[in-house]
Coordinates of all heavy atoms in Angstrom, one line a residue:
M285 N -56.2 -12.1 -47.0 CA -57.5 -11.9 -47.7 C -58.5 -12.9 -47.1 O -58.1 -13.9 -46.9 CB -57.3 -12.2 -49.2 CG -58.6 -12.1 -50.0 SD -58.4 -13.0 -51.7 CE -57.4 -11.7 -52.5
K286 N -59.7 -12.3 -47.0 CA -60.9 -13.1 -46.5 C -61.8 -13.1 -47.5 O -62.0 -12.2 -48.3 CB -61.4 -12.6 -45.2 CG -60.5 -12.7 -44.0 CD -61.2 -12.3 -42.7 CE -60.3 -12.2 -41.6 NZ -60.2 -13.4 -40.9
V287 N -62.6 -14.2 -47.6 CA -63.7 -14.3 -48.7 C -65.0 -14.9 -48.0 O -64.9 -15.7 -47.2 CB -63.2 -15.2 -49.9 CG1 -62.9 -16.5 -49.5 CG2 -64.2 -15.0 -51.0
R288 N -66.1 -14.5 -48.5 CA -67.3 -15.0 -48.1 C -68.3 -15.1 -49.3 O -68.2 -14.4 -50.3 CB -67.9 -14.3 -46.9 CG -68.4 -12.9 -47.2 CD -69.0 -12.3 -46.1 NE -69.3 -10.8 -46.3 CZ -70.4 -10.5 -46.9 NH1 -71.3 -11.2 -47.2 NH2 -70.6 -9.1 -47.1
I289 N -69.3 -15.9 -49.1 CA -70.3 -16.0 -50.2 C -71.7 -15.3 -49.6 O -72.2 -15.7 -48.5 CB -70.6 -17.4 -50.5 CG1 -69.3 -18.1 -51.2 CG2 -71.8 -17.6 -51.4 CD1 -69.3 -19.5 -51.4
D290 N -72.2 -14.5 -50.6 CA -73.5 -13.9 -50.1 C -74.6 -14.8 -50.6 O -74.9 -15.0 -51.9 CB -73.6 -12.5 -50.9 CG -74.9 -11.8 -50.6 OD1 -75.8 -12.5 -50.2 OD2 -75.0 -10.6 -50.8
Y291 N -75.2 -15.5 -49.7 CA -76.2 -16.5 -50.2 C -77.5 -16.0 -50.6 O -78.4 -16.8 -51.1 CB -76.4 -17.4 -48.9 CG -75.2 -18.3 -48.6 CD1 -74.4 -18.2 -47.6 CD2 -74.9 -19.3 -49.7 CE1 -73.2 -18.9 -47.5 CE2 -73.7 -20.0 -49.6 CZ -72.9 -20.0 -48.4 OH -71.9 -20.6 -48.3
D292 N -77.8 -14.6 -50.5 CA -78.8 -14.0 -51.2 C -78.7 -14.0 -52.7 O -79.6 -14.0 -53.5 CB -79.1 -12.6 -50.7 CG -79.6 -12.6 -49.3 OD1 -80.2 -13.6 -48.8 OD2 -79.4 -11.6 -48.6
L293 N -77.4 -14.1 -53.2 CA -77.1 -14.0 -54.5 C -76.6 -15.4 -55.1 O -76.9 -15.6 -56.4 CB -75.9 -13.0 -54.7 CG -76.3 -11.5 -54.3 CD1 -75.1 -10.6 -54.4 CD2 -77.4 -10.9 -55.1
C294 N -76.0 -16.3 -54.4 CA -75.4 -17.4 -54.9 C -76.5 -18.3 -55.6 O -77.5 -18.5 -55.0 CB -74.8 -18.3 -53.8 SG -74.1 -19.9 -54.3
M295 N -76.2 -18.7 -56.9 CA -77.1 -19.6 -57.5 C -76.7 -21.0 -57.7 O -77.3 -21.8 -58.4 CB -77.5 -19.0 -58.9 CG -76.3 -18.9 -59.8 SD -76.7 -18.0 -61.3 CE -75.2 -18.2 -62.3
G296 N -75.6 -21.3 -56.9 CA -75.1 -22.7 -56.9 C -74.7 -23.3 -58.1 O -74.9 -24.6 -58.3
D297 N -74.1 -22.7 -59.0 CA -73.6 -23.2 -60.2 C -72.3 -24.0 -60.1 O -71.8 -24.5 -61.1 CB -73.7 -22.2 -61.4 CG -72.5 -21.2 -61.2 OD1 -71.8 -21.2 -60.1 OD2 -72.3 -20.4 -62.2
R298 N -71.7 -23.8 -59.0 CA -70.5 -24.7 -58.7 C -69.2 -24.1 -59.3 O -68.2 -24.7 -59.2 CB -70.6 -26.0 -59.1 CG -69.7 -27.0 -58.4 CD -70.0 -28.4 -58.6 NE -69.1 -29.2 -57.8 CZ -69.3 -30.4 -57.5 NH1 -70.3 -31.1 -57.9 NH2 -68.4 -31.0 -56.7
N299 N -69.2 -22.9 -60.1 CA -68.0 -22.6 -60.8 C -66.8 -22.3 -59.8 O -65.8 -22.7 -60.1 CB -68.4 -21.3 -61.6 CG -67.2 -20.9 -62.5 OD1 -66.8 -21.8 -63.4 ND2 -66.5 -19.9 -62.2
C300 N -67.1 -21.5 -58.7 CA -66.0 -21.3 -57.7 C -65.4 -22.6 -57.1 O -64.1 -22.6 -57.0 CB -66.7 -20.5 -56.5 SG -67.9 -21.2 -55.7
N301 N -66.2 -23.6 -57.0 CA -65.6 -24.9 -56.5 C -64.7 -25.5 -57.5 O -63.6 -26.2 -57.3 CB -66.8 -25.9 -56.2 CG -66.3 -27.3 -56.0 OD1 -66.6 -28.2 -56.8 ND2 -65.5 -27.5 -54.9
K302 N -65.0 -25.3 -58.9 CA -64.3 -25.9 -60.0 C -63.0 -25.1 -60.1 O -61.9 -25.6 -60.4 CB -65.0 -25.8 -61.3 CG -66.1 -26.9 -61.3 CD -66.9 -26.8 -62.6 CE -68.1 -27.8 -62.5 NZ -69.2 -27.3 -63.4
V303 N -63.0 -23.7 -59.9 CA -61.9 -22.9 -60.2 C -60.9 -23.0 -58.9 O -59.7 -23.1 -59.1 CB -62.4 -21.4 -60.2 CG1 -61.1 -20.4 -60.1 CG2 -63.2 -21.1 -61.5
C304 N -61.3 -23.1 -57.8 CA -60.6 -23.3 -56.5 C -61.1 -24.2 -55.5 O -61.6 -23.6 -54.5 CB -60.2 -21.8 -56.0 SG -58.9 -21.8 -54.7
P305 N -61.1 -25.4 -55.6 CA -61.6 -26.4 -54.7 C -60.9 -26.3 -53.3 O -61.6 -26.7 -52.4 CB -61.4 -27.8 -55.3 CG -60.4 -27.5 -56.4 CD -60.4 -26.1 -56.8
E306 N -59.8 -25.7 -53.3 CA -59.1 -25.6 -52.0 C -59.8 -24.7 -50.9 O -59.7 -24.8 -49.8 CB -57.6 -25.3 -52.1 CG -56.7 -26.2 -52.9 CD -56.7 -25.9 -54.4 OE1 -57.8 -25.2 -54.9 OE2 -55.8 -26.4 -55.1
V307 N -60.5 -23.8 -51.6 CA -61.2 -22.7 -50.8 C -62.7 -22.8 -50.8 O -63.3 -22.6 -49.8 CB -60.8 -21.3 -51.4 CG1 -61.6 -20.3 -50.7 CG2 -59.3 -21.1 -51.1
F308 N -63.3 -23.3 -52.0 CA -64.7 -23.4 -52.1 C -65.1 -24.8 -52.3 O -64.8 -25.5 -53.2 CB -65.2 -22.6 -53.5 CG -64.9 -21.2 -53.4 CD1 -63.7 -20.7 -54.1 CD2 -65.6 -20.3 -52.6 CE1 -63.4 -19.4 -54.1 CE2 -65.2 -18.9 -52.6 CZ -64.2 -18.4 -53.4
E309 N -65.9 -25.2 -51.3 CA -66.4 -26.7 -51.2 C -67.8 -26.6 -51.8 O -68.5 -25.5 -51.6 CB -66.4 -27.1 -49.9 CG -67.1 -28.5 -49.6 CD -67.2 -28.8 -48.1 OE1 -67.8 -28.0 -47.5 OE2 -66.7 -29.8 -47.7
Y310 N -68.2 -27.6 -52.5 CA -69.6 -27.6 -53.0 C -70.4 -28.6 -52.2 O -70.1 -29.8 -52.0 CB -69.6 -28.0 -54.5 CG -71.0 -27.8 -55.1 CD1 -71.5 -26.5 -55.2 CD2 -71.8 -28.8 -55.5 CE1 -72.7 -26.3 -55.8 CE2 -73.1 -28.6 -55.9 CZ -73.6 -27.3 -56.2 OH -74.8 -27.1 -56.7
D311 N -71.6 -28.1 -51.7 CA -72.5 -29.0 -50.8 C -73.5 -29.5 -51.8 O -74.4 -28.8 -52.3 CB -73.1 -28.0 -49.8 CG -74.0 -28.9 -48.8 OD1 -74.6 -29.8 -49.4 OD2 -74.0 -28.6 -47.7
E312 N -73.5 -30.7 -52.2 CA -74.3 -31.4 -53.1 C -75.7 -31.4 -52.7 O -76.7 -31.4 -53.5 CB -73.9 -32.8 -53.3 CG -72.5 -33.0 -53.8 CD -72.3 -33.0 -55.3 OE1 -73.3 -32.8 -56.1 OE2 -71.2 -33.1 -55.8
D313 N -76.0 -31.5 -51.3 CA -77.4 -31.6 -50.8 C -78.1 -30.2 -50.9 O -79.2 -30.1 -51.3 CB -77.4 -32.1 -49.4 CG -76.9 -33.5 -49.3 OD1 -77.1 -34.2 -50.3 OD2 -76.3 -33.9 -48.2
Q314 N -77.4 -29.2 -50.4 CA -77.9 -27.8 -50.4 C -77.7 -27.0 -51.8 O -78.4 -26.0 -52.0 CB -77.1 -27.0 -49.3 CG -77.3 -27.6 -47.9 CD -78.6 -27.5 -47.4 OE1 -79.3 -26.6 -47.5 NE2 -79.1 -28.6 -46.6
M315 N -76.9 -27.6 -52.6 CA -76.5 -27.0 -53.9 C -76.1 -25.6 -53.8 O -76.5 -24.7 -54.6 CB -77.8 -27.1 -54.8 CG -78.0 -28.6 -55.2 SD -79.6 -28.9 -56.2 CE -79.7 -27.6 -57.3
I316 N -75.2 -25.4 -52.9 CA -74.5 -24.2 -52.7 C -73.0 -24.5 -52.4 O -72.7 -25.6 -52.0 CB -75.0 -23.3 -51.6 CG1 -75.0 -24.1 -50.2 CG2 -76.5 -22.7 -52.0 CD1 -75.4 -23.2 -49.0
S317 N -72.2 -23.4 -52.6 CA -70.8 -23.5 -52.3 C -70.5 -23.0 -50.8 O -71.2 -22.0 -50.4 CB -69.9 -22.8 -53.3 OG -70.0 -23.5 -54.5
R318 N -69.6 -23.5 -50.2 CA -69.1 -23.0 -48.9 C -67.6 -22.6 -48.9 O -66.8 -23.3 -49.6 CB -69.3 -24.0 -47.9 CG -70.7 -24.4 -47.6 CD -70.7 -25.5 -46.4 NE -71.9 -26.2 -46.4 CZ -73.2 -25.8 -46.2 NH1 -73.3 -24.6 -45.9 NH2 -74.2 -26.6 -46.3
V319 N -67.3 -21.6 -48.0 CA -65.9 -21.3 -48.0 C -65.3 -22.1 -46.8 O -65.8 -22.2 -45.8 CB -65.7 -19.8 -47.5 CG1 -64.3 -19.3 -47.4 CG2 -66.3 -18.9 -48.6
L320 N -64.1 -22.8 -47.2 CA -63.5 -23.7 -46.3 C -62.5 -23.0 -45.4 O -62.1 -23.7 -44.3 CB -62.8 -24.8 -47.1 CG -63.6 -25.7 -47.9 CD1 -62.8 -26.6 -48.8 CD2 -64.5 -26.5 -46.9
V321 N -62.1 -21.9 -45.7 CA -60.9 -21.2 -44.9 C -61.3 -20.0 -44.4 O -62.2 -19.3 -45.0 CB -59.7 -21.0 -45.9 CG1 -59.1 -22.4 -46.5 CG2 -59.9 -20.0 -47.0
D322 N -60.7 -19.6 -43.3 CA -61.0 -18.3 -42.6 C -60.1 -17.3 -43.4 O -60.6 -16.2 -43.8 CB -60.6 -18.4 -41.1 CG -60.8 -17.1 -40.4 OD1 -61.9 -16.6 -40.8 OD2 -60.0 -16.7 -39.7
E323 N -58.9 -17.6 -43.5 CA -57.9 -16.7 -44.3 C -57.4 -17.4 -45.6 O -57.0 -18.5 -45.5 CB -56.7 -16.4 -43.3 CG -55.9 -15.3 -43.9 CD -56.3 -13.9 -43.5 OE1 -57.0 -13.7 -42.4 OE2 -56.0 -13.0 -44.2
V324 N -57.7 -16.7 -46.6 CA -57.1 -17.3 -47.9 C -55.6 -17.4 -48.0 O -54.9 -16.4 -47.9 CB -57.7 -16.6 -49.2 CG1 -57.1 -17.2 -50.5 CG2 -59.2 -16.4 -49.1
P325 N -55.1 -18.6 -48.2 CA -53.6 -18.7 -48.3 C -53.1 -17.9 -49.4 O -53.8 -17.9 -50.5 CB -53.4 -20.3 -48.6 CG -54.6 -20.9 -48.0 CD -55.7 -20.0 -48.2
E326 N -51.9 -17.2 -49.3 CA -51.5 -16.3 -50.3 C -51.3 -17.0 -51.7 O -51.8 -16.3 -52.7 CB -50.1 -15.8 -49.9 CG -49.9 -14.4 -50.2 CD -48.6 -13.8 -49.6 OE1 -48.5 -13.8 -48.4 OE2 -47.7 -13.4 -50.4
H327 N -51.0 -18.2 -51.8 CA -50.7 -18.8 -53.1 C -52.1 -19.1 -53.7 O -52.1 -19.6 -54.9 CB -49.9 -20.1 -52.9 CG -50.6 -21.3 -52.3 ND1 -50.8 -21.3 -50.9 CD2 -51.2 -22.3 -52.8 CE1 -51.3 -22.4 -50.5 NE2 -51.6 -23.1 -51.6
L328 N -53.2 -18.9 -53.0 CA -54.6 -19.3 -53.7 C -55.3 -18.0 -54.0 O -56.4 -18.0 -54.5 CB -55.3 -20.2 -52.8 CG -54.9 -21.5 -52.6 CD1 -55.7 -22.2 -51.5 CD2 -54.8 -22.3 -53.9
E329 N -54.7 -16.8 -53.6 CA -55.5 -15.5 -53.7 C -55.9 -15.3 -55.2 O -57.0 -14.8 -55.5 CB -54.7 -14.4 -53.2 CG -54.5 -14.3 -51.7 CD -53.9 -13.2 -51.1 OE1 -53.2 -12.4 -51.9 OE2 -53.8 -12.9 -49.9
K330 N -55.0 -15.5 -56.1 CA -55.2 -15.2 -57.6 C -56.4 -16.1 -58.0 O -57.3 -15.6 -58.9 CB -54.0 -15.5 -58.5 CG -53.1 -14.3 -58.5 CD -52.1 -14.4 -59.5 CE -51.2 -13.2 -59.5 NZ -49.9 -13.5 -60.1
L331 N -56.4 -17.4 -57.6 CA -57.6 -18.2 -57.9 C -59.0 -17.8 -57.4 O -60.0 -17.8 -58.1 CB -57.3 -19.7 -57.6 CG -56.4 -20.5 -58.5 CD1 -56.1 -21.9 -58.0 CD2 -57.0 -20.6 -59.9
V332 N -58.8 -17.3 -56.1 CA -60.1 -16.8 -55.4 C -60.6 -15.5 -56.2 O -61.8 -15.4 -56.4 CB -59.8 -16.5 -53.9 CG1 -60.9 -15.8 -53.3 CG2 -59.6 -17.8 -53.3
L333 N -59.7 -14.7 -56.6 CA -60.1 -13.5 -57.4 C -60.6 -13.8 -58.7 O -61.6 -13.2 -59.2 CB -58.8 -12.5 -57.5 CG -58.4 -11.8 -56.2 CD1 -57.0 -11.1 -56.6 CD2 -59.4 -10.8 -55.8
K334 N -60.1 -14.9 -59.4 CA -60.6 -15.5 -60.6 C -62.1 -16.0 -60.3 O -63.0 -15.7 -61.1 CB -59.6 -16.5 -61.2 CG -60.1 -17.1 -62.4 CD -59.0 -18.1 -62.9 CE -59.5 -19.3 -63.8 NZ -60.1 -18.8 -65.1
A335 N -62.2 -16.7 -59.3 CA -63.5 -17.3 -59.0 C -64.6 -16.1 -58.7 O -65.7 -16.2 -59.3 CB -63.5 -18.1 -57.8
A336 N -64.1 -15.0 -58.1 CA -65.1 -14.0 -57.8 C -65.4 -13.3 -59.1 O -66.6 -12.9 -59.3 CB -64.3 -13.0 -56.7
D337 N -64.4 -13.1 -60.0 CA -64.6 -12.4 -61.2 C -65.5 -13.2 -62.1 O -66.5 -12.6 -62.8 CB -63.3 -12.2 -61.9 CG -63.4 -11.3 -63.1 OD1 -63.9 -10.3 -63.0 OD2 -63.0 -11.9 -64.2
E338 N -65.5 -14.5 -62.0 CA -66.3 -15.3 -62.9 C -67.6 -15.7 -62.2 O -68.5 -16.3 -63.0 CB -65.6 -16.7 -63.1 CG -64.4 -16.5 -64.0 CD -63.7 -17.9 -64.3 OE1 -64.2 -18.9 -64.0 OE2 -62.6 -17.8 -65.0
C339 N -67.9 -15.4 -61.1 CA -69.2 -15.7 -60.3 C -70.2 -14.8 -61.0 O -70.3 -13.6 -60.8 CB -69.0 -15.4 -58.9 SG -70.7 -15.7 -58.0
A340 N -71.1 -15.3 -61.8 CA -72.1 -14.5 -62.5 C -73.0 -13.6 -61.7 O -73.2 -12.5 -62.0 CB -73.0 -15.4 -63.4
P341 N -73.5 -14.1 -60.6 CA -74.3 -13.2 -59.7 C -73.5 -12.3 -58.7 O -74.1 -11.5 -58.0 CB -75.3 -14.2 -59.0 CG -74.4 -15.3 -58.8 CD -73.6 -15.5 -60.2
K342 N -72.2 -12.4 -58.9 CA -71.3 -11.6 -58.0 C -71.6 -11.8 -56.5 O -71.7 -10.9 -55.7 CB -71.5 -10.1 -58.2 CG -71.0 -9.7 -59.7 CD -69.5 -10.0 -59.9 CE -69.1 -9.8 -61.5 NZ -68.0 -10.6 -61.9
A343 N -71.6 -13.2 -56.2 CA -72.0 -13.6 -54.9 C -70.6 -13.8 -54.0 O -70.7 -13.9 -52.8 CB -72.7 -14.9 -54.8
I344 N -69.5 -13.8 -54.6 CA -68.2 -14.0 -53.8 C -67.8 -12.6 -53.4 O -67.4 -11.7 -54.2 CB -67.3 -14.6 -54.7 CG1 -67.8 -16.1 -55.0 CG2 -65.9 -14.7 -54.0 CD1 -66.9 -16.9 -55.9
V345 N -67.7 -12.4 -52.1 CA -67.3 -11.1 -51.6 C -65.9 -11.2 -51.0 O -65.7 -12.0 -50.1 CB -68.3 -10.6 -50.4 CG1 -67.9 -9.3 -49.9 CG2 -69.7 -10.7 -51.0
I346 N -65.0 -10.4 -51.6 CA -63.6 -10.3 -51.1 C -63.5 -9.3 -49.9 O -64.0 -8.2 -50.0 CB -62.6 -9.9 -52.2 CG1 -62.8 -10.9 -53.4 CG2 -61.2 -10.0 -51.7 CD1 -62.3 -12.2 -53.2
E347 N -62.9 -9.7 -48.8 CA -62.7 -8.8 -47.7 C -61.2 -8.8 -47.4 O -60.7 -9.8 -46.9 CB -63.6 -9.2 -46.5 CG -65.0 -9.2 -46.8 CD -65.9 -9.8 -45.7 OE1 -65.3 -10.7 -44.9 OE2 -67.0 -9.4 -45.6
E348 N -60.6 -7.6 -47.6 CA -59.1 -7.7 -47.4 C -58.7 -7.1 -46.0 O -59.6 -6.4 -45.5 CB -58.5 -6.9 -48.6 CG -58.6 -7.8 -49.9 CD -57.9 -7.1 -51.0 OE1 -56.6 -7.2 -51.0 OE2 -58.6 -6.7 -52.0
Ligands
LIG560 S1 -69.6 -19.3 -58.5 FE1 -70.9 -17.9 -57.4 S2 -73.0 -18.5 -57.8 FE2 -71.7 -20.2 -58.4 S3 -71.7 -21.5 -56.6 FE3 -69.9 -20.2 -56.4 S4 -70.6 -18.3 -55.1 FE4 -72.4 -19.5 -55.9

């Protein structure tokens, strides 16, 4: 599974970073989250899906 953030939609509320910090880093200066991994490790897939589900503006794009 691959994941990316649509920066036209991200509002920088940091929820994805709180849900799965192993995959989503928060940039304090830019006030946006970044994806840290190219391929999501299998044991983190559920958390990434949860983060995507909880992302209010639907900025987290899952690419399988
Ligand atoms: S949860 Fe969504 S809106 Fe919030 S920082 Fe992450 S990608 Fe951006």
Side-chain angles (χ1 to χ4, degrees):
M285 176 196 284
K286 289 181 190 275
V287 63
R288 65 179 173 86
I289 293 172
D290 183 340
Y291 289 110
D292 289 335
L293 299 175
C294 175
M295 59 184 189
D297 68 353
R298 199 175 187 161
N299 190 64
C300 52
N301 170 248
K302 289 179 185 152
V303 172
C304 189
E306 297 90 341
V307 172
F308 301 101
E309 174 186 56
Y310 191 69
D311 184 326
E312 302 272 358
D313 294 331
Q314 303 291 320
M315 291 173 42
I316 53 169
S317 291
R318 294 186 203 288
V319 176
L320 291 172
V321 298
D322 184 39
E323 191 82 28
V324 177
E326 214 172 300
H327 70 283
L328 295 175
E329 285 184 354
K330 276 193 182 154
L331 277 181
V332 169
L333 289 172
K334 178 175 157 64
D337 189 50
E338 290 183 4
C339 175
K342 299 295 172 208
I344 298 177
V345 182
I346 305 288
E347 298 172 335
E348 296 185 62

